[in-house]
């Protein structure tokens, strides 16, 4: 059995920036999708946070890829 350390997005809901709580894994890619599966353009991604201020209000899915080989999806709400 494999136990993973928690990876969280906060604040959630968010209005301008979303932080990634990830102290354990090497994050190599981040993609944001709207509820219809359309990839959204994200600016100012630092590895620890990303800017969502230009997104419309709604529900989004974030795909976080680690070490280029495995990924986790998380949901956040843009206010």
């Amino acid at each position: 059995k494999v136990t993973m350390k928690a990876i969280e997005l906060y604040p959630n809901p968010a209005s301008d920036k979303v932080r990634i709580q990830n102290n354990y894994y090497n994050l190599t890619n981040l993609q944001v999708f709207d509820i219809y599966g359309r990839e959204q353009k994200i600016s100012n991604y630092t590895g620890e946070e990303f800017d969502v201020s230009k997104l419309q209000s709604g529900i989004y899915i974030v795909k976080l890829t680690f070490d280029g080989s495995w990924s986790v999806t998380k949901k956040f709400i843009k206010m």
Side-chain angles (χ1 to χ4, degrees):
K1 181 178 178 182
V2 175
T3 303
M4 290 186 56
K5 306 285 187 190
I7 300 165
E8 299 296 332
L9 302 178
Y10 67 95
N12 192 2
S15 57
D16 56 352
K17 293 193 185 290
V18 174
R19 291 193 52 81
I20 303 165
Q21 178 182 322
N22 167 39
N23 299 322
Y24 311 101
Y25 308 107
N26 181 30
L27 180 61
T28 55
N29 193 35
L30 176 140
Q31 295 170 281
V32 176
F33 300 92
D34 67 14
I35 198 157
Y36 301 106
R38 296 177 296 217
E39 189 168 0
Q40 304 297 299
K41 191 166 188 89
I42 295 298
S43 59
N44 298 326
Y45 165 60
T46 67
E48 294 180 0
E49 68 182 18
F50 55 98
D51 186 347
V52 297
S53 62
K54 293 186 170 99
L55 296 178
Q56 293 184 343
S57 296
I59 299 171
Y60 292 87
I61 304 295
V62 179
K63 181 179 179 183
L64 304 163
T65 303
F66 300 92
D67 296 318
S69 62
W70 61 279
S71 62
V72 171
T73 56
K74 296 285 184 179
K75 178 173 67 172
F76 77 91
I77 298 171
K78 165 63 166 67
M79 304 264 303

Coordinates of all heavy atoms in Angstrom, one line a residue:
K1 N 0.8 -1.2 0.0 CA 0.0 0.0 0.0 C 0.9 1.2 0.0 O 1.8 1.3 0.8 CB -0.9 0.0 1.2 CG -1.8 1.2 1.3 CD -2.7 1.0 2.5 CE -3.6 2.3 2.6 NZ -4.5 2.2 3.8
V2 N 0.6 2.2 -0.9 CA 1.3 3.4 -1.0 C 0.5 4.5 -0.3 O -0.7 4.7 -0.5 CB 1.5 3.8 -2.5 CG1 2.2 5.2 -2.6 CG2 2.4 2.8 -3.1
T3 N 1.2 5.3 0.6 CA 0.5 6.4 1.3 C 1.1 7.7 0.7 O 2.4 7.9 0.8 CB 0.7 6.3 2.8 OG1 0.2 5.1 3.2 CG2 0.1 7.5 3.5
M4 N 0.3 8.6 0.2 CA 0.8 9.8 -0.3 C 0.6 10.9 0.7 O -0.3 10.9 1.5 CB -0.1 10.2 -1.6 CG 0.2 9.3 -2.8 SD -0.6 9.9 -4.2 CE 0.0 11.6 -4.4
K5 N 1.5 11.9 0.7 CA 1.4 13.1 1.5 C 0.4 14.0 0.9 O 0.2 14.0 -0.3 CB 2.7 13.8 1.6 CG 3.9 12.9 2.1 CD 3.8 12.7 3.6 CE 5.1 12.0 4.0 NZ 5.0 11.5 5.4
A6 N -0.3 14.8 1.7 CA -1.4 15.7 1.2 C -0.8 16.7 0.3 O 0.2 17.3 0.5 CB -2.1 16.3 2.4
I7 N -1.6 17.0 -0.8 CA -1.3 18.1 -1.7 C -2.6 18.9 -1.8 O -3.6 18.3 -2.1 CB -0.9 17.6 -3.1 CG1 0.3 16.8 -3.1 CG2 -0.8 18.8 -4.1 CD1 0.6 16.0 -4.3
E8 N -2.6 20.1 -1.4 CA -3.8 20.9 -1.3 C -3.7 22.2 -2.0 O -2.6 22.7 -2.2 CB -4.1 21.2 0.2 CG -4.4 20.0 1.0 CD -5.6 19.2 0.6 OE1 -6.5 19.8 0.0 OE2 -5.6 18.0 0.8
L9 N -4.8 22.8 -2.4 CA -4.9 24.1 -3.0 C -5.6 25.0 -2.0 O -6.6 24.6 -1.5 CB -5.7 24.1 -4.3 CG -5.1 23.2 -5.4 CD1 -6.1 23.3 -6.6 CD2 -3.7 23.5 -5.8
Y10 N -5.1 26.2 -1.8 CA -5.8 27.2 -0.9 C -5.4 28.6 -1.3 O -4.4 28.8 -2.0 CB -5.4 26.9 0.5 CG -4.0 27.2 0.9 CD1 -3.6 28.4 1.4 CD2 -3.0 26.2 0.6 CE1 -2.2 28.7 1.7 CE2 -1.6 26.5 0.9 CZ -1.3 27.7 1.5 OH 0.0 28.0 1.7
P11 N -6.2 29.6 -1.0 CA -7.6 29.5 -0.5 C -8.5 28.9 -1.5 O -8.3 29.0 -2.7 CB -8.0 30.9 -0.1 CG -7.2 31.7 -1.1 CD -5.9 31.0 -1.3
N12 N -9.6 28.3 -1.1 CA -10.5 27.7 -1.9 C -11.9 27.9 -1.3 O -12.2 27.3 -0.3 CB -10.3 26.2 -2.2 CG -11.1 25.6 -3.3 OD1 -11.8 26.3 -3.9 ND2 -10.9 24.3 -3.5
P13 N -12.7 28.8 -1.8 CA -12.6 29.5 -3.1 C -11.5 30.6 -3.1 O -11.1 31.1 -2.0 CB -14.0 30.2 -3.3 CG -14.8 29.9 -2.0 CD -14.0 29.0 -1.1
A14 N -11.1 31.0 -4.3 CA -10.1 32.0 -4.5 C -10.6 33.1 -5.4 O -11.4 32.9 -6.2 CB -8.8 31.3 -5.1
S15 N -9.9 34.3 -5.3 CA -10.3 35.4 -6.2 C -9.1 35.9 -7.0 O -9.3 36.3 -8.1 CB -10.8 36.6 -5.4 OG -9.9 37.0 -4.4
D16 N -7.8 35.7 -6.5 CA -6.7 36.2 -7.3 C -5.6 35.2 -7.4 O -5.1 34.9 -8.5 CB -6.2 37.6 -6.8 CG -5.8 37.5 -5.3 OD1 -6.1 36.5 -4.6 OD2 -5.2 38.5 -4.8
K17 N -5.1 34.7 -6.3 CA -4.0 33.7 -6.4 C -4.4 32.4 -5.6 O -5.1 32.5 -4.6 CB -2.8 34.3 -5.7 CG -2.2 35.4 -6.5 CD -0.8 35.7 -6.1 CE -0.2 36.9 -6.8 NZ 0.1 36.7 -8.2
V18 N -3.9 31.3 -6.1 CA -4.1 30.0 -5.5 C -2.7 29.5 -5.1 O -1.9 29.4 -6.0 CB -4.9 29.0 -6.4 CG1 -4.9 27.6 -5.7 CG2 -6.3 29.5 -6.7
R19 N -2.6 29.1 -3.9 CA -1.3 28.5 -3.4 C -1.4 27.0 -3.5 O -2.4 26.4 -3.2 CB -0.9 29.0 -2.0 CG -0.6 30.5 -2.0 CD 0.0 30.9 -0.7 NE 1.2 30.2 -0.3 CZ 2.4 30.4 -0.7 NH1 2.7 31.2 -1.7 NH2 3.4 29.7 -0.2
I20 N -0.2 26.3 -3.7 CA -0.1 24.9 -3.7 C 0.6 24.4 -2.5 O 1.8 24.8 -2.3 CB 0.6 24.4 -5.0 CG1 -0.1 25.0 -6.3 CG2 0.7 22.9 -5.0 CD1 0.7 24.9 -7.5
Q21 N -0.1 23.7 -1.7 CA 0.6 23.1 -0.5 C 1.2 21.8 -0.9 O 0.5 20.8 -1.2 CB -0.3 22.9 0.7 CG 0.3 22.3 1.9 CD -0.7 22.0 3.0 OE1 -1.6 22.8 3.2 NE2 -0.6 20.9 3.6
N22 N 2.5 21.8 -1.1 CA 3.2 20.6 -1.6 C 4.7 20.7 -1.1 O 5.5 21.3 -1.7 CB 3.2 20.6 -3.1 CG 4.2 19.5 -3.7 OD1 4.3 18.5 -3.1 ND2 4.8 19.9 -4.8
N23 N 5.0 20.0 0.0 CA 6.3 20.0 0.5 C 7.1 18.7 0.2 O 8.2 18.6 0.7 CB 6.2 20.2 2.1 CG 5.6 21.5 2.4 OD1 5.7 22.5 1.8 ND2 4.8 21.4 3.5
Y24 N 6.5 17.9 -0.6 CA 7.1 16.5 -0.7 C 7.5 16.1 -2.1 O 8.4 15.3 -2.3 CB 6.1 15.5 -0.2 CG 5.5 15.9 1.2 CD1 4.3 16.4 1.3 CD2 6.3 15.7 2.3 CE1 3.8 16.8 2.5 CE2 5.8 16.0 3.6 CZ 4.5 16.6 3.6 OH 4.0 16.9 4.8
Y25 N 6.9 16.7 -3.1 CA 7.1 16.1 -4.5 C 7.6 17.2 -5.4 O 7.3 18.4 -5.2 CB 5.7 15.6 -5.0 CG 5.1 14.6 -4.0 CD1 4.0 14.9 -3.3 CD2 5.7 13.3 -3.9 CE1 3.4 14.0 -2.4 CE2 5.1 12.4 -3.0 CZ 4.0 12.8 -2.3 OH 3.4 11.9 -1.4
N26 N 8.2 16.8 -6.5 CA 8.8 17.7 -7.5 C 7.7 18.0 -8.6 O 7.5 17.2 -9.5 CB 10.0 17.1 -8.1 CG 10.6 18.0 -9.2 OD1 10.5 19.2 -9.1 ND2 11.2 17.4 -10.2
L27 N 7.1 19.2 -8.4 CA 6.0 19.6 -9.4 C 6.7 20.0 -10.7 O 7.5 20.9 -10.7 CB 5.2 20.7 -8.8 CG 4.0 21.3 -9.6 CD1 3.0 20.2 -9.9 CD2 3.4 22.4 -8.9
T28 N 6.3 19.4 -11.8 CA 6.9 19.7 -13.1 C 6.0 20.3 -14.1 O 6.4 20.9 -15.1 CB 7.5 18.4 -13.7 OG1 6.5 17.4 -13.8 CG2 8.7 17.9 -12.9
N29 N 4.7 20.3 -13.8 CA 3.7 20.9 -14.7 C 2.4 21.2 -14.0 O 2.0 20.4 -13.1 CB 3.5 20.0 -16.0 CG 2.8 20.8 -17.1 OD1 3.0 22.0 -17.3 ND2 1.9 20.1 -17.8
L30 N 1.7 22.2 -14.5 CA 0.4 22.6 -13.9 C -0.5 23.0 -15.1 O -0.1 23.8 -15.9 CB 0.6 23.8 -12.9 CG -0.7 24.3 -12.4 CD1 -0.5 24.7 -10.9 CD2 -1.1 25.6 -13.1
Q31 N -1.7 22.4 -15.1 CA -2.7 22.8 -16.1 C -4.0 23.1 -15.4 O -4.3 22.4 -14.4 CB -2.9 21.6 -17.1 CG -1.6 21.3 -18.0 CD -1.9 20.0 -18.7 OE1 -1.7 18.9 -18.2 NE2 -2.2 20.1 -20.0
V32 N -4.7 24.0 -15.9 CA -6.0 24.4 -15.4 C -7.1 24.2 -16.4 O -6.9 24.7 -17.6 CB -6.0 25.8 -14.8 CG1 -7.4 26.2 -14.3 CG2 -5.0 26.0 -13.7
F33 N -8.2 23.6 -16.1 CA -9.2 23.3 -17.0 C -10.6 23.8 -16.5 O -10.8 23.7 -15.3 CB -9.4 21.8 -17.3 CG -8.2 21.1 -17.9 CD1 -7.2 20.6 -17.0 CD2 -8.0 21.1 -19.2 CE1 -6.1 20.0 -17.5 CE2 -6.8 20.5 -19.8 CZ -5.9 20.0 -18.9
D34 N -11.4 24.3 -17.4 CA -12.8 24.7 -16.9 C -13.6 23.5 -16.8 O -13.2 22.3 -17.1 CB -13.4 25.8 -17.8 CG -13.7 25.3 -19.2 OD1 -13.7 24.1 -19.5 OD2 -14.0 26.2 -20.0
I35 N -14.8 23.6 -16.4 CA -15.7 22.5 -16.1 C -16.0 21.7 -17.4 O -16.5 20.6 -17.4 CB -17.0 22.9 -15.3 CG1 -17.6 21.7 -14.7 CG2 -17.9 23.7 -16.2 CD1 -18.5 22.1 -13.5
Y36 N -15.8 22.3 -18.6 CA -16.1 21.7 -19.8 C -14.8 21.0 -20.4 O -14.8 20.5 -21.5 CB -16.6 22.7 -20.8 CG -17.9 23.4 -20.3 CD1 -17.9 24.7 -19.9 CD2 -19.1 22.6 -20.3 CE1 -19.0 25.2 -19.4 CE2 -20.2 23.2 -19.8 CZ -20.2 24.5 -19.4 OH -21.4 25.1 -18.9
G37 N -13.7 21.1 -19.7 CA -12.5 20.4 -20.1 C -11.6 21.3 -21.0 O -10.6 20.8 -21.5
R38 N -11.9 22.5 -21.1 CA -11.1 23.4 -21.9 C -9.9 24.0 -21.1 O -10.1 24.5 -20.0 CB -11.9 24.6 -22.4 CG -13.0 24.2 -23.4 CD -13.8 25.4 -23.8 NE -14.5 25.9 -22.6 CZ -15.7 26.4 -22.6 NH1 -16.4 26.5 -23.8 NH2 -16.2 26.9 -21.5
E39 N -8.7 23.8 -21.6 CA -7.5 24.3 -20.8 C -7.5 25.8 -20.8 O -7.8 26.5 -21.8 CB -6.2 23.8 -21.5 CG -5.0 24.1 -20.6 CD -3.8 23.4 -21.0 OE1 -3.8 22.6 -22.0 OE2 -2.7 23.6 -20.4
Q40 N -7.2 26.4 -19.6 CA -7.2 27.8 -19.4 C -5.7 28.3 -19.3 O -4.9 27.6 -18.8 CB -7.9 28.1 -18.1 CG -9.3 27.6 -18.0 CD -10.2 28.2 -19.1 OE1 -10.4 29.5 -19.1 NE2 -10.8 27.4 -20.0
K41 N -5.5 29.5 -19.8 CA -4.2 30.1 -19.8 C -4.0 30.6 -18.4 O -4.8 31.4 -17.9 CB -4.1 31.2 -20.8 CG -2.7 31.6 -21.0 CD -2.6 32.5 -22.3 CE -1.1 32.8 -22.6 NZ -0.5 31.8 -23.4
I42 N -2.9 30.3 -17.8 CA -2.5 30.7 -16.4 C -1.2 31.5 -16.5 O -0.2 31.1 -17.1 CB -2.3 29.5 -15.5 CG1 -3.6 28.8 -15.3 CG2 -1.8 30.0 -14.1 CD1 -4.8 29.6 -14.7
S43 N -1.2 32.7 -15.9 CA 0.0 33.5 -15.8 C 0.6 33.5 -14.4 O -0.1 33.2 -13.5 CB -0.3 34.9 -16.3 OG -1.3 35.5 -15.5
N44 N 1.8 33.9 -14.4 CA 2.5 34.1 -13.1 C 2.5 32.9 -12.2 O 2.3 32.9 -11.0 CB 1.9 35.3 -12.3 CG 2.0 36.6 -13.0 OD1 3.0 36.8 -13.7 ND2 1.0 37.4 -12.9
Y45 N 2.8 31.7 -12.8 CA 2.9 30.5 -12.1 C 4.3 30.4 -11.5 O 5.3 30.5 -12.3 CB 2.6 29.3 -13.0 CG 3.1 28.0 -12.4 CD1 2.6 27.5 -11.3 CD2 4.0 27.2 -13.1 CE1 3.0 26.3 -10.7 CE2 4.4 26.0 -12.6 CZ 3.9 25.5 -11.4 OH 4.3 24.3 -10.9
T46 N 4.5 30.3 -10.2 CA 5.8 30.3 -9.6 C 6.2 28.9 -9.1 O 7.4 28.8 -8.6 CB 5.8 31.2 -8.3 OG1 4.9 30.7 -7.3 CG2 5.3 32.6 -8.7
G47 N 5.4 27.9 -9.1 CA 5.8 26.6 -8.5 C 5.1 26.5 -7.2 O 4.9 25.4 -6.7
E48 N 4.8 27.6 -6.5 CA 4.1 27.6 -5.2 C 2.7 28.2 -5.3 O 1.9 27.9 -4.5 CB 4.9 28.3 -4.2 CG 6.2 27.7 -3.9 CD 7.0 28.4 -2.8 OE1 6.5 29.5 -2.4 OE2 8.1 28.0 -2.5
E49 N 2.5 29.0 -6.3 CA 1.2 29.6 -6.5 C 1.0 30.0 -8.0 O 1.9 30.1 -8.7 CB 1.0 30.9 -5.6 CG 1.9 32.0 -6.0 CD 1.7 33.2 -5.1 OE1 1.2 33.1 -3.9 OE2 2.1 34.3 -5.5
F50 N -0.3 30.2 -8.3 CA -0.6 30.7 -9.7 C -1.8 31.7 -9.6 O -2.6 31.7 -8.7 CB -1.0 29.5 -10.6 CG -2.1 28.5 -10.1 CD1 -3.3 28.7 -10.6 CD2 -1.8 27.6 -9.2 CE1 -4.4 27.8 -10.1 CE2 -2.8 26.7 -8.7 CZ -4.1 26.8 -9.2
D51 N -1.8 32.5 -10.6 CA -2.7 33.7 -10.7 C -4.0 33.2 -11.4 O -4.0 32.7 -12.5 CB -2.0 34.8 -11.5 CG -2.8 36.1 -11.5 OD1 -4.0 36.1 -11.1 OD2 -2.3 37.1 -11.9
V52 N -5.1 33.4 -10.7 CA -6.4 33.1 -11.3 C -7.3 34.3 -11.5 O -8.5 34.2 -11.8 CB -7.2 32.0 -10.4 CG1 -6.4 30.7 -10.4 CG2 -7.5 32.5 -9.0
S53 N -6.7 35.5 -11.3 CA -7.5 36.7 -11.4 C -8.2 37.0 -12.7 O -9.2 37.6 -12.8 CB -6.6 37.9 -11.0 OG -5.6 38.1 -11.9
K54 N -7.6 36.4 -13.8 CA -8.2 36.7 -15.1 C -9.2 35.6 -15.5 O -9.9 35.7 -16.5 CB -7.1 36.7 -16.2 CG -6.2 38.0 -16.0 CD -5.2 38.1 -17.1 CE -4.5 39.4 -17.0 NZ -3.2 39.5 -16.3
L55 N -9.4 34.6 -14.7 CA -10.4 33.6 -15.0 C -11.8 34.1 -14.6 O -11.9 34.8 -13.6 CB -10.1 32.3 -14.2 CG -8.8 31.5 -14.5 CD1 -8.7 30.3 -13.5 CD2 -8.8 31.1 -15.9
Q56 N -12.8 33.6 -15.3 CA -14.2 33.9 -14.9 C -14.5 33.1 -13.7 O -14.0 32.1 -13.4 CB -15.1 33.6 -16.1 CG -14.9 34.4 -17.3 CD -16.0 34.1 -18.4 OE1 -16.6 33.1 -18.3 NE2 -16.1 35.0 -19.3
S57 N -15.5 33.6 -13.0 CA -16.0 32.9 -11.8 C -16.5 31.5 -12.2 O -17.1 31.4 -13.3 CB -17.2 33.6 -11.1 OG -16.7 34.9 -10.6
G58 N -16.3 30.5 -11.4 CA -16.7 29.1 -11.8 C -15.9 28.1 -11.1 O -15.0 28.4 -10.2
I59 N -16.1 26.9 -11.5 CA -15.4 25.7 -11.0 C -14.3 25.3 -11.9 O -14.5 25.2 -13.1 CB -16.3 24.5 -10.7 CG1 -17.4 25.0 -9.7 CG2 -15.6 23.3 -10.2 CD1 -18.5 24.0 -9.5
Y60 N -13.1 25.0 -11.4 CA -12.0 24.7 -12.3 C -11.3 23.4 -11.7 O -11.3 23.2 -10.5 CB -10.9 25.8 -12.3 CG -11.5 27.0 -13.1 CD1 -12.2 28.0 -12.4 CD2 -11.3 27.1 -14.5 CE1 -12.8 29.0 -13.1 CE2 -11.8 28.2 -15.2 CZ -12.6 29.1 -14.5 OH -13.1 30.2 -15.2
I61 N -10.6 22.7 -12.6 CA -9.9 21.5 -12.2 C -8.4 21.8 -12.5 O -8.0 22.3 -13.6 CB -10.3 20.3 -13.0 CG1 -11.8 20.0 -12.9 CG2 -9.4 19.0 -12.7 CD1 -12.2 19.6 -11.5
V62 N -7.5 21.5 -11.5 CA -6.1 21.7 -11.7 C -5.4 20.3 -11.8 O -5.7 19.5 -11.0 CB -5.5 22.5 -10.5 CG1 -4.0 22.6 -10.7 CG2 -6.2 23.8 -10.4
K63 N -4.7 20.1 -12.9 CA -3.9 18.9 -13.0 C -2.4 19.2 -12.7 O -1.8 20.0 -13.3 CB -4.0 18.4 -14.4 CG -3.2 17.1 -14.6 CD -3.3 16.5 -16.0 CE -2.6 15.3 -16.2 NZ -2.6 14.8 -17.6
L64 N -1.9 18.6 -11.6 CA -0.6 18.8 -11.1 C 0.2 17.6 -11.5 O -0.1 16.5 -11.1 CB -0.6 19.0 -9.6 CG -1.4 20.1 -9.1 CD1 -1.7 20.0 -7.6 CD2 -0.8 21.5 -9.4
T65 N 1.3 17.8 -12.3 CA 2.1 16.6 -12.7 C 3.4 16.7 -12.0 O 4.1 17.8 -11.9 CB 2.4 16.7 -14.2 OG1 1.1 16.7 -14.9 CG2 3.2 15.5 -14.7
F66 N 3.9 15.5 -11.5 CA 5.0 15.5 -10.6 C 6.1 14.6 -11.3 O 5.7 13.5 -11.8 CB 4.7 14.9 -9.3 CG 3.7 15.8 -8.5 CD1 2.4 15.6 -8.6 CD2 4.2 16.9 -7.8 CE1 1.5 16.4 -8.0 CE2 3.3 17.7 -7.1 CZ 1.9 17.4 -7.2
D67 N 7.3 15.0 -11.3 CA 8.4 14.2 -11.8 C 8.2 13.8 -13.3 O 8.7 12.8 -13.7 CB 8.8 13.0 -11.0 CG 9.3 13.5 -9.6 OD1 10.0 14.4 -9.5 OD2 8.8 12.9 -8.6
G68 N 7.2 14.5 -14.0 CA 6.9 14.2 -15.3 C 6.2 12.8 -15.6 O 6.0 12.4 -16.7
S69 N 5.9 12.2 -14.5 CA 5.4 10.8 -14.7 C 4.0 10.5 -14.0 O 3.3 9.6 -14.4 CB 6.4 9.8 -14.2 OG 6.6 9.9 -12.8
W70 N 3.6 11.2 -13.0 CA 2.4 11.0 -12.3 C 1.7 12.3 -12.0 O 2.3 13.3 -11.9 CB 2.5 10.1 -11.1 CG 3.4 10.7 -10.0 CD1 4.8 10.7 -9.9 CD2 3.0 11.3 -8.8 NE1 5.2 11.3 -8.8 CE2 4.1 11.7 -8.1 CE3 1.7 11.6 -8.3 CZ2 4.0 12.4 -6.9 CZ3 1.6 12.3 -7.1 CH2 2.8 12.7 -6.4
S71 N 0.4 12.2 -11.9 CA -0.4 13.5 -11.7 C -1.5 13.3 -10.7 O -1.9 12.2 -10.4 CB -0.9 14.0 -13.0 OG -1.8 13.1 -13.5
V72 N -2.0 14.5 -10.2 CA -3.1 14.6 -9.2 C -4.0 15.7 -9.7 O -3.5 16.7 -10.3 CB -2.6 14.9 -7.8 CG1 -3.7 15.2 -6.9 CG2 -1.7 13.8 -7.3
T73 N -5.3 15.5 -9.6 CA -6.2 16.5 -10.0 C -6.9 17.1 -8.7 O -7.2 16.3 -7.8 CB -7.3 16.1 -11.0 OG1 -8.0 14.9 -10.5 CG2 -6.7 15.7 -12.3
K74 N -7.1 18.4 -8.7 CA -7.7 19.0 -7.6 C -8.7 20.0 -8.1 O -8.5 20.6 -9.2 CB -6.7 19.8 -6.7 CG -5.7 18.9 -6.0 CD -6.3 18.2 -4.9 CE -5.4 17.4 -4.1 NZ -6.0 16.8 -2.9
K75 N -9.8 20.3 -7.4 CA -10.8 21.2 -7.8 C -10.7 22.5 -7.0 O -10.4 22.5 -5.8 CB -12.2 20.6 -7.6 CG -13.4 21.5 -7.9 CD -14.7 20.8 -7.8 CE -15.0 20.4 -6.4 NZ -16.3 19.9 -6.2
F76 N -10.9 23.7 -7.7 CA -11.0 24.9 -6.9 C -12.1 25.8 -7.5 O -12.5 25.6 -8.7 CB -9.7 25.7 -6.8 CG -9.3 26.4 -8.1 CD1 -9.7 27.8 -8.2 CD2 -8.6 25.8 -9.1 CE1 -9.3 28.5 -9.4 CE2 -8.2 26.5 -10.2 CZ -8.6 27.8 -10.3
I77 N -12.6 26.7 -6.7 CA -13.7 27.6 -7.1 C -13.1 29.0 -7.3 O -12.4 29.5 -6.3 CB -14.8 27.6 -6.1 CG1 -15.4 26.2 -6.1 CG2 -15.9 28.6 -6.5 CD1 -16.4 26.0 -5.0
K78 N -13.3 29.6 -8.4 CA -12.9 31.0 -8.6 C -14.1 31.9 -8.3 O -15.2 31.7 -8.9 CB -12.5 31.2 -10.1 CG -12.3 32.6 -10.5 CD -11.3 33.4 -9.8 CE -10.9 34.7 -10.4 NZ -11.9 35.8 -10.5
M79 N -13.9 32.8 -7.4 CA -15.0 33.7 -7.0 C -15.1 34.9 -8.0 O -14.1 35.3 -8.5 CB -14.8 34.3 -5.6 CG -14.6 33.2 -4.6 SD -16.1 32.8 -3.6 CE -16.6 34.3 -2.9

